[in-house]
Amino acid sequence: MLGRPTHPLSRHVLRRGLRALLRRLLAVAPTRLPLLAPTRLLAVAPTRVLLVALTGALIALAGAQDEPGWRMQEGPLATRWAADVSPEAPLPEYPRPQLVRDDWRNLNGLWSYAVRRDDDPPAAFDGEILVPFAIESALSGVMRRVETHETLWYRRAFAVPDAWIGRRILLHFGAVDWDATVWVDGTEVGRHQGGYDPFTFDITDALVAGPTHELLVRVTDPTDAGTQPRGKQVSEPHAIWYTSVTGIWQTVWLEPVPEAHVASLRIEPDLAGERLRLTVGSDADPAITTVRASVLAEGRPVATAEARPDETLALAIPGPRAWSPDDPFLYDLILELWQDGAVVDRVTSYAGLRDVAIGTDAAGVQRILLNGEPLFQYGLLDQGFWPDGLYTAPTDEALRYDLEVTKKLGFNLVRKHVKVEPARWYHWADRLGLLVWQDMPNGGPHVAYGEGEATGKVPWAENFERELLRVVDALHGHPSIVTWVPFNEGWGQHHTARLAALLEARDPTRLVNAASGWNDVGVGSLLDIHWYTGPGAPDPDPLRASALGEFGGLGLAVPGHTWQARDNWGYQSFPDADALTDAYLELVERLWPLIAEPGLAAAVYTQTTDVEIEVNGLLTYDRAILKMDAERLRAAHERLLREPPVVVALVPTAERAAHPWRWTTDAPAGDWTELTYDDTDWNVAPAGFGAGYVTGSIVRSPWATPHLWLRTSFELDVDPADVEHLRLRVHHDEDVDIYLNGVHVVTLPYATHAYVDVDRDEALRAALRPGTNVLAARATHAWGGQYIDVGLLARIGTQEVKP
């Protein structure tokens, strides 16, 4: 039996030897050893620790062959990429594409985990978890929920290569949801709150001499019991609310850097000025340090400049090649820190030169301009969930796949919805050429539709703003991101004007969509409405472009490819792929003329994939089936984006003009709808006609009787064969019958709550004639508010808008 050493030096030697032994044991079986937590380790007598460690090691090693290794849990659904996930090297790709060093080490793989109800480090761990998959996911190998009162612990051993000795060692986390504290070799190295932004700790001074080291991480996450940003995670998933994600869900990695090193990079494109602005952040002494930046185009040097750390370099690029969805050209960057005539640090990056702004087109309508030209932005609402990995795609190929499908189907936009992706997702968007609207994951309570925003002291404001700015700073360099979206449908909405101004000041190179849907407060770059199933457009704003931030949501459950066998959900359901495709293309056809009248600048269809019980994706949740006809979609999107229509208001509504109508409240004799009918003794007044409160009405002339007869004439100075997509634009309360040149076109019963387009192209085309035409209507009212306004729109040819 070993005696207890009494001499301080002997105790020190034994303790060092014990540490070395424990590290070797960790290296052999790091996830199976029942080690004491590092904060308690040295409080125990060395002899006892040695015996406990040796006993635990022998037990663990003896039983190692009998214990099953990691395996994916059996969830409701999985993607084909799940089979490619290796516990030895999950997601092995370099995680930070815009600040690349050659030397690094991936810590993804099997870690030990434990879930406890108290805050004390566990004396033993529960099993193995595959990092970086959240514990709730099937790919983690655990697939269990962490309650709001529970703590999730992680542990793993790691080694620092001998070649790294003498350099600072940085420990990087792509994202951990939500509150993470980290220890290395028993020393706390830092704490971070926020589930969507990357963070880094310098662990150099915490490392204890020896071949292996211990990394311990504690995580708590209140999910929907807290007010922190959380996106669509809930403890009890239902409807449009999904499974929660707790703990590490992006890559964890080590990186050696010199004492003087590049810590950050800010990229600001200036296309009009034909230059690229770069700011290289570093703690290096500016008196003895120089930053040298070089820009290359396809390997050819085009610009070089020097400055001090944290100063902005302006690199002139004459005749720059602009980044766009049609030509996603990227310049390569080389950044070096120089001291005493030598390079002390070198990183590589890339940049795209593009400009996004709001400006008017030839007709004076506010548009989104990309590189100085109007470009209609049309894309998909992308939730970023996976049936097997939840927040984390199984592989980099899977991460890229959704973007590739989006691009191949002819969309040019992705709205990343209340989630932030790993940096590699934006890297692929940059390279594939997809525009991105980036939502901030919301938290806090909802503010009801039409109720504005939370004001005064808002309990969740500090967390929200801190993480919002961190996300903006982390993603700033990606040219694909063109719009920041801080709030969605009133969720946690507060201090909107202040936060919009803060974002505009923080990042003047992008647009700000201050509130997507519901509660507009008149600020930001876009006026954004949601309309299911739609489509629709807001009334034009004199300073902001109009956007349809969400519409569609057409559903189809594909047997064998759903999260659950029954009771799936979509905004409108269809029996098969053909019916779904037809319905979608009808929405696109109705969307097209809104580009010209009233001037829609962007639209987002819901959504890329099914998510859990939602079945309104273009793809099934497992990404196995594209539900619609790809060729028909691609052709429709090509026309939508390449051939914006010239829409003519043959008869404008009150939305656009005070158009005169002849009217009477006395039942007219004869065929009053005919072109030749004599209406000279009727009254004349501008539309719309109404009384009382009707949502969305524009009353220019009073109407308070049960019946109203209306007639107006218009001239058609082109061949009717050249007129396409005739449609009525109507707002009525209550019933209305509409006629063109004596031909009954449609009866519309009941009431609308806004102006709507009524597609009656065939009937209207049959009645239309060159020269003078007459549009007539009979409106009927029984009770409550009353209103009638009728317009006639047509598409006459197309105009080229440069993509």
Side-chain angles (χ1 to χ4, degrees):
M1 188 171 179
L2 294 174
R4 179 171 179 175
T6 56
H7 193 281
L9 180 59
S10 301
R11 187 178 297 116
H12 175 69
V13 170
L14 179 57
R15 190 167 298 191
R16 287 186 60 187
L18 174 60
R19 281 178 175 150
L21 174 61
L22 294 181
R23 289 193 196 98
R24 287 189 177 92
L25 293 172
L26 276 170
V28 174
T31 62
R32 296 190 173 96
L33 295 179
L35 291 179
L36 296 173
T39 53
R40 303 159 84 185
L41 181 62
L42 297 181
V44 183
T47 303
R48 286 187 59 201
V49 175
L50 179 61
L51 291 174
V52 169
L54 286 173
T55 303
L58 290 172
I59 293 172
L61 292 175
Q65 292 183 345
D66 298 328
E67 291 184 16
W70 169 89
R71 65 179 179 85
M72 175 180 167
Q73 294 296 309
E74 186 176 349
L77 203 63
T79 67
R80 60 184 176 274
W81 297 282
D84 299 330
V85 175
S86 164
E88 286 75 34
L91 293 170
E93 294 80 12
Y94 190 83
R96 191 183 57 196
Q98 282 204 304
L99 198 65
V100 178
R101 288 187 177 91
D102 294 334
D103 217 357
W104 70 293
R105 175 159 292 188
N106 197 325
L107 295 184
N108 292 345
L110 291 174
W111 295 35
S112 297
Y113 84 93
V115 179
R116 297 291 181 267
R117 290 178 176 268
D118 55 47
D119 228 17
D120 293 329
F125 284 74
D126 300 343
E128 293 179 327
I129 185 171
L130 187 60
V131 169
F133 299 103
I135 191 171
E136 293 90 347
S137 72
L139 279 171
S140 73
V142 182
M143 203 171 76
R144 66 149 288 182
R145 193 171 87 185
V146 178
E147 304 293 344
T148 57
H149 59 277
E150 293 181 319
T151 300
L152 172 60
W153 292 87
Y154 294 87
R155 187 194 66 194
R156 72 153 290 158
F158 67 93
V160 175
D162 291 341
W164 293 8
I165 295 174
R167 289 187 276 178
R168 308 300 297 181
I169 308 301
L170 304 182
L171 173 63
H172 301 284
F173 292 83
V176 181
D177 196 4
W178 174 73
D179 185 347
T181 306
V182 180
W183 291 264
V184 171
D185 288 343
T187 298
E188 182 177 330
V189 295
R191 181 182 179 186
H192 179 271
Q193 290 183 329
Y196 300 95
D197 59 300
F199 58 96
T200 299
F201 299 128
D202 185 333
I203 64 171
T204 313
D205 296 336
L207 295 170
V208 176
T212 58
H213 306 275
E214 185 187 56
L215 172 58
L216 189 72
V217 181
R218 180 184 65 197
V219 179
T220 58
D221 182 10
T223 311
D224 50 341
T227 58
Q228 81 290 346
R230 60 178 172 84
K232 287 198 168 184
Q233 304 176 59
V234 292
S235 299
E236 299 292 341
H238 61 282
I240 62 171
W241 308 101
Y242 315 138
T243 302
S244 59
V245 170
T246 302
I248 299 169
W249 67 274
Q250 289 187 30
T251 292
V252 185
W253 52 296
L254 293 171
E255 180 182 39
V257 296
E259 194 74 34
H261 63 274
V262 174
S264 64
L265 172 63
R266 183 176 178 86
I267 301 171
E268 293 189 15
D270 182 3
L271 186 63
E274 298 190 341
R275 59 186 175 178
L276 186 65
R277 292 190 180 95
L278 304 177
T279 306
V280 176
S282 176
D283 291 333
D285 184 351
I288 61 171
T289 307
T290 299
V291 175
R292 180 177 297 171
S294 301
V295 181
L296 298 87
E298 298 176 328
R300 176 178 55 86
V302 296
T304 301
E306 293 184 356
R308 296 298 182 187
D310 299 310
E311 293 179 350
T312 298
L313 300 94
L315 294 104
I317 305 177
R321 184 171 167 182
W323 183 97
S324 73
D326 283 345
D327 183 20
F329 182 78
L330 297 171
Y331 289 91
D332 293 316
L333 306 178
I334 299 174
L335 307 168
E336 297 173 332
L337 286 190
W338 286 71
Q339 288 182 346
D340 298 326
V343 176
V344 295
D345 192 26
R346 183 181 189 271
V347 298
T348 59
S349 186
Y350 66 85
L353 265 71
R354 61 101 186 95
D355 176 73
V356 60
I358 300 297
T360 57
D361 63 10
V365 177
Q366 295 289 349
R367 300 290 185 186
I368 301 176
L369 308 181
L370 183 69
N371 303 331
E373 299 289 343
L375 175 66
F376 184 74
Q377 297 186 9
Y378 182 54
L380 294 172
L381 193 76
D382 194 305
Q383 309 273 9
F385 268 76
W386 299 83
D388 35 29
L390 297 180
Y391 257 18
T392 310
T395 67
D396 194 58
E397 180 186 354
L399 187 73
R400 187 177 71 244
Y401 178 77
D402 287 359
L403 293 171
E404 289 177 327
V405 170
T406 301
K407 184 76 175 181
K408 288 176 181 177
L409 290 176
F411 297 97
N412 63 12
L413 172 69
V414 177
R415 180 182 169 196
K416 180 50 63 175
H417 192 41
V418 293
K419 184 201 174 189
V420 180
E421 292 287 358
R424 291 193 63 83
W425 187 91
Y426 303 95
H427 166 75
W428 287 120
D430 295 340
R431 296 205 172 275
L432 292 170
L434 280 165
L435 305 170
V436 176
W437 290 9
Q438 179 60 55
D439 286 14
M440 176 62 189
N442 298 124
H446 277 81
V447 180
Y449 177 79
E451 295 297 321
E453 61 179 355
T455 57
K457 185 173 178 57
V458 178
W460 62 92
E462 183 179 352
N463 268 338
F464 181 86
E465 183 174 327
R466 179 178 64 244
E467 192 161 1
L468 170 66
L469 296 181
R470 286 175 177 171
V471 167
V472 169
D473 290 345
L475 300 179
H476 186 276
H478 293 283
S480 56
I481 301 175
V482 293
T483 302
W484 301 115
V485 186
F487 295 114
N488 177 75
E489 292 188 348
W491 187 2
Q493 188 170 343
H494 66 281
H495 307 163
T496 312
R498 184 183 66 80
L499 288 171
L502 182 65
L503 284 172
E504 289 166 347
R506 189 83 161 205
D507 183 7
T509 70
R510 292 181 172 90
L511 307 180
V512 175
N513 184 1
S516 182
W518 288 24
N519 299 332
D520 178 59
V521 298
V523 299
S525 312
L526 303 176
L527 171 56
D528 180 326
I529 66 167
H530 295 177
W531 194 323
Y532 286 102
T533 52
D539 292 334
D541 187 276
L543 299 177
R544 298 179 294 168
S546 297
L548 178 59
E550 295 180 27
F551 82 105
L554 307 182
L556 172 65
V558 180
H561 298 276
T562 57
W563 189 249
Q564 58 190 33
R566 53 187 298 178
D567 299 326
N568 293 290
W569 182 86
Y571 286 94
Q572 184 178 352
S573 297
F574 294 87
D576 54 50
D578 289 340
L580 179 68
T581 303
D582 290 344
Y584 172 78
L585 293 177
E586 181 180 345
L587 293 186
V588 174
E589 183 68 18
R590 289 162 53 192
L591 179 69
W592 195 28
L594 298 177
I595 300 172
E597 179 71 28
L600 194 64
V604 179
Y605 177 82
T606 302
Q607 58 192 351
T608 308
T609 72
D610 296 348
V611 184
E612 299 194 355
I613 72 167
E614 277 191 73
V615 292
N616 46 21
L618 296 185
L619 292 162
T620 53
Y621 195 18
D622 58 6
R623 277 74 168 175
I625 294 177
L626 176 63
K627 301 183 196 177
M628 301 188 198
D629 187 310
E631 292 302 321
R632 293 177 66 192
L633 263 63
R634 188 181 298 111
H637 299 156
E638 177 76 15
R639 184 177 68 162
L640 184 74
L641 297 176
R642 307 295 181 189
E643 301 177 4
V646 177
V647 174
V648 176
L650 300 174
V651 176
T653 63
E655 299 168 287
R656 302 291 170 263
H659 182 76
W661 287 73
R662 291 190 176 273
W663 64 272
T664 180
T665 55
D666 299 322
D671 197 347
W672 61 275
T673 66
E674 289 287 349
L675 178 64
T676 56
Y677 183 82
D678 183 6
D679 59 12
T680 54
D681 62 341
W682 287 25
N683 303 293
V684 178
F689 297 84
Y693 177 75
V694 175
T695 302
S697 63
I698 306 171
V699 177
R700 299 183 188 274
S701 302
W703 165 46
T705 61
H707 302 283
L708 181 67
W709 289 262
L710 296 164
R711 286 171 53 92
T712 190
S713 62
F714 63 92
E715 298 295 320
L716 183 68
D717 56 5
V718 299
D719 188 329
D722 294 331
V723 179
E724 300 177 358
H725 197 70
L726 280 160
R727 70 192 190 283
L728 299 165
R729 185 160 177 82
V730 188
H731 191 353
H732 62 99
D733 188 346
E734 297 161 17
D735 302 353
V736 61
D737 288 281
I738 301 173
Y739 306 80
L740 179 61
N741 295 331
V743 177
H744 182 257
V745 175
V746 67
T747 297
L748 301 175
Y750 311 120
T752 57
H753 299 290
Y755 282 86
V756 297
D757 287 350
V758 180
D759 190 350
R760 290 295 184 273
D761 181 70
E762 186 175 344
L764 290 166
R765 185 185 302 280
L768 190 66
R769 62 187 65 187
T772 304
N773 294 260
V774 167
L775 185 66
R778 178 180 60 198
T780 303
H781 174 69
W783 62 279
Q786 59 193 88
Y787 186 69
I788 181 62
D789 188 15
V790 180
L792 179 61
L793 307 180
R795 187 175 69 238
I796 303 177
T798 61
Q799 63 181 356
E800 283 290 320
V801 173
K802 186 176 179 179

